[in-house]
Amino acid sequence: MSKKILLSESEMPTRWFNLMPHLPKPLDPPLHPGTHQVITPNDMAAIFPMNLIEQEMCADPWIDIPEEVLKVLTMWRPTPLVRADRLEAYLGTPAKIFYKNESVSPAGSHKPNTAVAQAYYNKVAGVKRLVTETGAGQWGSALSFATNLFGLGCRVFMVKCSFYQKPYRKSLMRLWGGEVFPSPTEMTNAGRAMLARDPDTPGSLGCAIAEAVEEAAHSSDANYSLGSVLNHVCLHQSVIGLEAKKQLESVGLKADVVIGCAGGGSNFAGIAFPFIPEKLGGRDIKIIGVEPAACPTMTKGPFRYDFGDTAKSTPLLKMHTLGHDFVPAGIHAGGLRYHGMAPLVSAGIAQGIIQPENRHQLECFEAATLFARTEGIVPAPETSHAIRVAIDEALQCKKTKQSKVIVFNFSGHGHFDMSAYDAYFDGKLQDYEFPMEEMKKALAAVPEI
Amino acid sequence: MSKKILLSESEMPTRWFNLMPHLPKPLDPPLHPGTHQVITPNDMAAIFPMNLIEQEMCADPWIDIPEEVLKVLTMWRPTPLVRADRLEAYLGTPAKIFYKNESVSPAGSHKPNTAVAQAYYNKVAGVKRLVTETGAGQWGSALSFATNLFGLGCRVFMVKCSFYQKPYRKSLMRLWGGEVFPSPTEMTNAGRAMLARDPDTPGSLGCAIAEAVEEAAHSSDANYSLGSVLNHVCLHQSVIGLEAKKQLESVGLKADVVIGCAGGGSNFAGIAFPFIPEKLGGRDIKIIGVEPAACPTMTKGPFRYDFGDTAKSTPLLKMHTLGHDFVPAGIHAGGLRYHGMAPLVSAGIAQGIIQPENRHQLECFEAATLFARTEGIVPAPETSHAIRVAIDEALQCKKTKQSKVIVFNFSGHGHFDMSAYDAYFDGKLQDYEFPMEEMKKALAAVPEI
């Protein structure tokens, strides 16, 4: 068998897969943040274009990918499905491990899959610029890459501590024409309010979201763009799993275990959702979302309505949540430090389709190091969570002598995260016990609905 | 036409292309650094394994690639040949621009093509560790990647200023198990001598080479490894051009212009050499090596015997040189800051086959920025030299209304060079006039042979 299973550009999926109509129980609708009533398309029109709002609410099982989006995706898609044979040999497992290499995109992760689609739909709707937030910078750089290709402006509120700690992600956004500001800024009410409370605040993702939403809502030419959580984002990421299925089929295999790391849930949704109909049809597939033990939204958080940001400006979403005020410990997998989880992923867990797991950061860096030393590529700290569980599953197969087919999403490379590896090798990283009492306090501020 | 022209792993070249027997005039042999007599295989045995020494001197037109090397190369090879259609559209040129994307290797450049082969041959020869130098870190990381896969140790002398300025390249080597030391060190005579002269020296590539050669020569279990310049390195890189030719043929095209940047000459050799027999056969192909105007080895340096390092410990090679004591200005394309040039490339220029050109760094960063904004991928500063000339050739085609096929080697990505882009955008980069008098002084120290 080849090391890499490739598809030609003509074999790329031309339709996105929508999990919504497949769920045994319907998805709970988003609610208006003020009235707590079911939100209407018009309520969202201040920050999203109508074509994306329709997609967000759409229950069609397949949605055509526009030609213009497909054309941009061919810059790096289809991505390779790679047999991790060197890792298998190291582990001495009879399992077959495959990884879908989403790190080959120009921005280095799966994020451009939706950034390109969102930029396109906003362009078609006549929008001139997009405003967003970013934590570690993966999403901000992906959106800068995509908006630049469609001739849109891009403004990114980057969490202040990351802005200074990860200067090269910022440089990447700048190279692609994005404007980046350390959040909180003096440019928004949300930013000014946070600075008034604490002029030296390191910033937070919740505040950066609030700044971006505020600017988009008050601007006539700009919309807001979100890189995860929402239905349309999960939809756009489905190309990952659709390709992976086709690639496995081309070598006569079917997945037994499908794994993705989960922060807001979109890369996990991308690899996993297309395998769900097969599971609902009776095939025994384990579908695992992996989150940090320090931010165990799926494994410890209740399934209830909550806001997406600390300013409570976003719609209320029915999801696993640690409470919108919960501040996760400073683990290096910045992209997994989110209090909430995509409603589609949350529903999949609630309905017994998706199995959530969590892992500590030290065991994840151990797995990432082993991966880099066997398979070569340097994983992002987020991706290391998927690798950890893939290895654990493969070691389980070694015990049970089963040659399962394990597929995980290699969501991004770690070229801009090398300081985290240094900290790991220098023994400066630690694991964090989850502060259950903090979560309870944060959940007390979540409205009872 | 597809955006990317792909080959399957079964279509990978299984033999390396050797330019040596194709040169109309024979290559001048390397000379012993002490006696100035033609060097013998035994002279080199202290630092290289005999199998690589044989390859260095081999005049066979084709050399089989060992199975074990091929297997490792499939981790990222064959690499895509990509149509730069977005760049073409921006330029409004009738030319067809293609780039061979060598940045997809785990180390991010073409360097692993030879690192893997060298690690393999040393392993077969019973060597336990490899010692090398690195400037900006591309070669040191590629060799760390390769030695790790073959279970060899790796020690890298990294030029001290880069060691501290580019910490993440160092982290990468560490992740792959390489030991990295800021050169000059107290571990070698060469290092101690340099520190005695100037305890605060920022180090130099010449000194780092001398340290690595010295350690390898005095160690019973270690060999030296060089990432460019030598014949066997150019040989190992020929997979680039062999694949590119096959990829063009698969869409019914032939190259009219072939371009690579040239520091020591190996990535340029890799893309260009396999096209040379066609040119010698009478086809009109322009084969362009591009170097920095601040380090114009090919365009300003004479073609004569010189040493590879400042300590005069390497064999004397007949090559274009600025003098082994010449210190190039501090441009960001660190990989192109070398006083010499591969003897095979130098002979190709002397024999009228290869056309050397030079470009200033600001126009190269301008080209790199345009490339990143049209084609997405972030170029390494070295690679930007090839892009600059590809753009210039395409603009020339616009004037002459010719739809030439232009192929260049995208030798590496710039993920670890983002500070250079920041400096460019902040207006902190400058061009350097070439100090002709400095070169003359440096050449005065080169032995007359």
Side-chain angles (χ1 to χ4, degrees):
Chain A
M1 190 191 291
S2 291
K3 173 77 177 162
K4 306 177 293 301
I5 307 172
L6 303 176
L7 296 176
S8 67
E9 288 170 22
S10 61
E11 292 171 296
M12 259 178 69
T14 56
R15 298 181 303 173
W16 286 306
F17 170 82
N18 189 4
L19 179 64
M20 206 189 292
H22 297 274
L23 284 176
K25 289 177 221 162
L27 203 63
D28 293 297
L31 306 180
H32 190 283
T35 64
H36 297 192
Q37 298 302 303
V38 173
I39 209 162
T40 67
N42 280 341
D43 291 331
M44 293 197 267
I47 59 168
F48 292 118
M50 201 48 77
N51 47 20
L52 277 180
I53 295 170
E54 281 164 14
Q55 231 171 48
E56 180 68 17
M57 298 182 160
C58 180
D60 295 346
W62 294 99
I63 295 170
D64 285 340
I65 307 178
E67 270 301 321
E68 294 85 342
V69 172
L70 277 175
K71 192 163 165 16
V72 175
L73 294 182
T74 61
M75 290 171 79
W76 71 95
R77 303 205 73 86
T79 63
L81 184 73
V82 189
R83 177 80 183 266
D85 55 337
R86 292 173 183 275
L87 176 61
E88 289 169 21
Y90 179 92
L91 297 173
T93 177
K96 293 185 180 67
I97 309 177
F98 293 89
Y99 60 97
K100 182 69 172 158
N101 188 357
E102 290 294 307
S103 79
V104 298
S105 79
S109 79
H110 65 291
K111 291 286 187 191
N113 294 330
T114 185
V116 167
Q118 292 190 44
Y120 166 77
Y121 283 115
N122 275 285
K123 172 82 175 178
V124 164
V127 172
K128 300 297 177 209
R129 25 181 223 109
L130 290 178
V131 188
T132 197
E133 73 290 327
T134 199
Q138 285 274 17
W139 170 243
S141 48
L143 195 65
S144 298
F145 160 74
T147 48
N148 165 68
L149 292 177
F150 287 100
L152 300 177
C154 186
R155 177 166 286 182
V156 182
F157 291 92
M158 186 170 186
V159 176
K160 198 203 271 175
C161 58
S162 294
F163 183 91
Y164 293 109
Q165 281 168 2
K166 303 215 173 189
Y168 297 148
R169 274 276 165 208
K170 181 183 67 188
S171 315
L172 198 55
M173 294 180 233
R174 193 180 183 191
L175 175 56
W176 285 320
E179 289 179 292
V180 197
F181 299 94
S183 166
T185 71
E186 291 283 356
M187 296 152 65
T188 65
N189 291 328
R192 284 187 292 270
M194 189 150 179
L195 287 170
R197 282 195 302 276
D198 177 6
D200 299 322
T201 176
S204 76
L205 199 55
C207 177
I209 293 178
E211 287 207 280
V213 169
E214 182 184 328
E215 171 164 340
H218 293 91
S219 159
S220 59
D221 67 344
N223 264 343
Y224 174 66
S225 176
L226 189 62
S228 190
V229 180
L230 299 178
N231 300 343
H232 67 273
V233 181
C234 296
L235 182 80
H236 300 157
Q237 295 294 356
S238 66
V239 290
I240 302 171
L242 292 171
E243 287 179 7
K245 272 187 74 169
K246 200 181 275 192
Q247 285 163 315
L248 284 174
E249 280 161 17
S250 76
V251 291
L253 293 175
K254 279 178 178 291
D256 298 306
V257 186
V258 179
I259 304 164
C261 65
S266 75
N267 98 79
F268 167 71
I271 188 83
F273 285 2
F275 289 92
I276 287 182
E278 226 175 313
K279 182 178 173 100
L280 292 174
R283 210 176 107 70
D284 181 22
I285 314 180
K286 217 163 150 181
I287 297 177
I288 308 174
V290 193
E291 64 190 2
C295 187
T297 313
M298 300 182 292
T299 50
K300 300 277 169 67
F303 180 47
R304 55 184 286 193
Y305 274 104
D306 196 4
F307 298 100
D309 69 335
T310 53
K312 305 187 232 181
S313 63
T314 72
L316 286 152
L317 301 173
K318 183 80 177 281
M319 60 184 177
H320 280 278
T321 178
L322 301 171
H324 56 269
D325 284 334
F326 181 80
V327 180
I331 55 168
H332 275 270
L336 306 184
R337 290 178 70 241
Y338 188 61
H339 70 276
M341 180 51 58
L344 279 169
V345 174
S346 298
I349 298 166
Q351 298 181 31
I353 303 163
I354 294 164
Q355 173 178 331
E357 299 200 13
N358 68 58
R359 290 294 185 277
H360 281 287
Q361 83 171 345
L362 288 178
E363 59 188 336
C364 291
F365 272 95
E366 184 196 27
T369 301
L370 175 57
F371 188 85
R373 290 185 178 173
T374 50
E375 295 295 319
I377 315 177
V378 181
E382 292 81 3
T383 308
S384 74
H385 290 71
I387 298 173
R388 177 72 262 170
V389 169
I391 290 174
D392 292 346
E393 289 287 323
L395 290 173
Q396 188 56 31
C397 286
K398 189 177 178 178
K399 281 193 197 149
T400 59
K401 298 190 169 51
Q402 286 177 291
S403 58
K404 286 187 184 175
V405 173
I406 300 171
V407 181
F408 73 87
N409 195 23
F410 191 90
S411 54
H413 64 61
H415 297 174
F416 297 94
D417 303 285
M418 295 310 296
S419 61
Y421 282 94
D422 280 336
Y424 172 65
F425 287 121
D426 291 339
K428 288 180 183 162
L429 286 195
Q430 61 171 109
D431 286 340
Y432 298 90
E433 280 310 303
F434 177 61
M436 195 65 87
E437 291 308 311
E438 294 297 316
M439 177 185 75
K440 284 182 188 160
K441 261 187 250 170
L443 288 171
V446 176
E448 295 281 352
I449 294 169
Chain B
M1 188 191 291
S2 290
K3 173 76 177 162
K4 306 177 294 298
I5 307 172
L6 303 176
L7 296 176
S8 68
E9 288 170 22
S10 60
E11 293 171 295
M12 259 179 69
T14 56
R15 299 181 302 172
W16 286 306
F17 170 82
N18 189 4
L19 179 65
M20 206 188 294
H22 297 274
L23 284 176
K25 290 177 220 160
L27 204 62
D28 294 297
L31 306 181
H32 190 282
T35 65
H36 295 193
Q37 299 302 303
V38 172
I39 209 161
T40 67
N42 280 341
D43 291 331
M44 293 197 267
I47 59 168
F48 292 119
M50 202 47 79
N51 47 21
L52 276 181
I53 295 170
E54 281 163 13
Q55 231 171 48
E56 181 67 16
M57 299 182 161
C58 180
D60 296 346
W62 295 99
I63 295 172
D64 286 340
I65 308 177
E67 271 300 322
E68 294 84 342
V69 173
L70 277 176
K71 192 165 164 17
V72 175
L73 294 182
T74 61
M75 290 171 80
W76 71 95
R77 302 204 74 84
T79 63
L81 184 73
V82 188
R83 176 82 183 266
D85 56 336
R86 290 172 184 275
L87 175 61
E88 290 169 21
Y90 180 90
L91 298 174
T93 178
K96 292 184 180 69
I97 308 176
F98 293 89
Y99 61 97
K100 182 70 173 157
N101 189 358
E102 290 294 306
S103 78
V104 299
S105 79
S109 79
H110 64 290
K111 292 285 187 193
N113 295 330
T114 185
V116 167
Q118 292 191 45
Y120 166 77
Y121 283 114
N122 275 285
K123 172 81 177 181
V124 165
V127 172
K128 301 295 176 212
R129 17 178 231 114
L130 290 178
V131 188
T132 197
E133 73 292 329
T134 200
Q138 285 274 17
W139 170 243
S141 48
L143 196 67
S144 298
F145 160 75
T147 49
N148 166 66
L149 292 178
F150 286 100
L152 300 177
C154 186
R155 177 167 287 183
V156 183
F157 291 93
M158 186 170 185
V159 176
K160 198 204 268 176
C161 59
S162 294
F163 183 91
Y164 294 109
Q165 281 167 3
K166 301 216 173 186
Y168 297 148
R169 275 275 166 209
K170 182 183 67 188
S171 316
L172 198 54
M173 295 179 231
R174 191 180 185 191
L175 174 57
W176 284 320
E179 289 180 291
V180 197
F181 299 95
S183 167
T185 71
E186 292 282 356
M187 296 153 63
T188 65
N189 292 328
R192 284 186 292 269
M194 189 150 179
L195 287 171
R197 283 196 301 276
D198 178 6
D200 298 322
T201 175
S204 77
L205 199 54
C207 177
I209 293 178
E211 290 208 278
V213 169
E214 182 184 328
E215 170 161 344
H218 292 92
S219 162
S220 59
D221 67 343
N223 264 343
Y224 173 66
S225 176
L226 188 62
S228 191
V229 180
L230 299 178
N231 300 343
H232 67 270
V233 181
C234 295
L235 182 80
H236 300 157
Q237 294 295 356
S238 66
V239 290
I240 302 172
L242 292 171
E243 286 179 8
K245 272 186 74 169
K246 200 180 274 192
Q247 285 163 314
L248 284 174
E249 280 160 18
S250 77
V251 292
L253 293 175
K254 279 177 178 292
D256 298 304
V257 186
V258 179
I259 304 164
C261 64
S266 75
N267 98 79
F268 168 70
I271 188 85
F273 285 3
F275 289 93
I276 287 182
E278 226 175 311
K279 183 180 173 98
L280 292 173
R283 211 176 107 71
D284 181 21
I285 314 180
K286 216 163 152 182
I287 297 178
I288 308 174
V290 193
E291 65 190 4
C295 187
T297 312
M298 302 182 290
T299 50
K300 299 277 167 67
F303 180 47
R304 55 183 286 190
Y305 274 104
D306 196 3
F307 297 101
D309 69 335
T310 54
K312 305 188 231 179
S313 62
T314 72
L316 286 152
L317 301 174
K318 183 79 175 284
M319 60 184 176
H320 280 277
T321 177
L322 301 171
H324 56 268
D325 285 333
F326 181 79
V327 180
I331 55 167
H332 275 269
L336 307 184
R337 291 178 68 242
Y338 188 61
H339 70 275
M341 180 52 57
L344 279 169
V345 174
S346 298
I349 297 167
Q351 299 182 31
I353 302 163
I354 293 164
Q355 172 179 330
E357 299 200 13
N358 69 57
R359 291 292 186 278
H360 281 288
Q361 82 172 345
L362 289 177
E363 59 187 336
C364 291
F365 272 96
E366 184 196 29
T369 301
L370 176 56
F371 188 85
R373 290 184 178 175
T374 51
E375 295 294 318
I377 314 176
V378 181
E382 292 81 4
T383 308
S384 74
H385 290 70
I387 299 172
R388 177 72 262 169
V389 170
I391 290 174
D392 292 346
E393 289 287 324
L395 290 174
Q396 188 58 30
C397 286
K398 189 176 177 178
K399 279 192 198 149
T400 59
K401 298 190 168 54
Q402 287 177 291
S403 58
K404 286 188 183 173
V405 174
I406 300 170
V407 182
F408 73 89
N409 195 23
F410 191 91
S411 54
H413 64 61
H415 297 172
F416 297 95
D417 304 283
M418 297 308 297
S419 61
Y421 282 95
D422 281 335
Y424 172 65
F425 287 122
D426 291 339
K428 289 179 185 162
L429 287 194
Q430 59 170 110
D431 287 338
Y432 298 90
E433 279 314 302
F434 176 61
M436 194 66 85
E437 291 308 312
E438 295 296 316
M439 176 185 76
K440 285 182 187 160
K441 262 186 252 172
L443 288 171
V446 176
E448 294 283 350
I449 295 168

